[in-house]
Amino acid sequence: FVFIVRDGDTARIVCERYLVRPTAWERVAQYNYILKPGNIIKVPARLVAKENKAFIKIAYGEVIVKAREEREWRPAIVGLILREGDAVKTGLDSGAVVVMGEGGTVILSNETEIIYEPYSRLFAGRVNRLNILRGEVEALIPPAVDREMGYEIVTSDTRMVLKGTRLRTKVGDGGGTRLEVLEGEVSVDSSGKKFVVEEGMGAVFGK
């Protein structure tokens, strides 16, 4: 995996944010130069703590990313670690595959923009949440066997809870959410109403 050094990053901060243990820094230092903002740091996959992070597995065409605290977009790098608040955008005839936490996979179609927003929910543990601003996403979430993390997809008008699910959802430029469940089922909360969309069914929310 790789990450891009940001302003204020130190060896201690990098260890806390990315690595499985502090001593892993010695190993990482063998592959990289100094911690200068903008530098790309390579990290052996086994040394990365995956909680509350996502990773760009595939990117083709025009795929760009933006850190939460930055204004500028930059080209995506395969293996890039996404942190809370980081955004990914695909252009025309482009796409990307993002892996969240313990293996939840999302496929971004062309002209799609998402923000990765993991959080911790009281009594329910960590949740990998993807906010779709526009475009189409297909999500494949493995069954929740011995899994500590939950998965959610949110749009401007809908929150979807995914467990052992494969679904396709699309957000139009003018708002509104279309949902199609291909496998499993999805718990949906929209406009204060909660219900379940089962396999082979679909739904439309908002505009």
Side-chain angles (χ1 to χ4, degrees), residues 39-101:
N39 277 4
I40 296 173
I41 302 296
K42 299 178 181 179
V43 184
R46 70 182 185 281
L47 299 182
V48 175
K50 297 180 176 61
E51 296 83 0
N52 293 333
K53 296 182 189 67
F55 315 89
I56 296 180
K57 183 177 181 180
I58 298 172
Y60 64 91
E62 182 188 6
V63 182
I64 53 179
V65 296
K66 183 172 70 69
R68 178 180 59 179
E69 65 273 17
E70 297 179 355
R71 294 184 178 181
E72 294 184 4
W73 293 82
R74 64 179 74 213
I77 303 170
V78 172
L80 180 67
I81 300 171
L82 301 175
R83 286 177 13 204
E84 179 184 356
D86 289 356
V88 181
K89 185 190 296 187
T90 61
L92 186 65
D93 298 323
S94 304
V97 176
V98 175
V99 177
M100 299 184 294

Side-chain angles (χ1 to χ4, degrees), residues 96-153:
V97 176
V98 175
V99 177
M100 299 184 294
E102 297 175 327
T105 301
V106 290
I107 304 169
L108 280 57
S109 297
N110 64 299
E111 298 186 303
T112 294
E113 183 176 354
I114 61 95
I115 299 176
Y116 181 55
E117 299 177 327
Y119 71 100
S120 294
R121 188 168 53 202
L122 189 63
F123 304 123
R126 296 183 298 272
V127 178
N128 288 282
R129 180 168 64 187
L130 200 70
N131 184 357
I132 306 175
L133 303 183
R134 66 184 179 96
E136 184 174 337
V137 168
E138 182 172 335
L140 299 89
I141 306 302
V145 178
D146 298 327
R147 189 175 68 207
E148 296 182 359
M149 300 183 203
Y151 290 88
E152 294 179 358
I153 288 180

Side-chain angles (χ1 to χ4, degrees), residues 148-159:
E148 296 182 359
M149 300 183 203
Y151 290 88
E152 294 179 358
I153 288 180
V154 297
T155 67
S156 61
D157 48 32
T158 308
R159 181 175 72 94

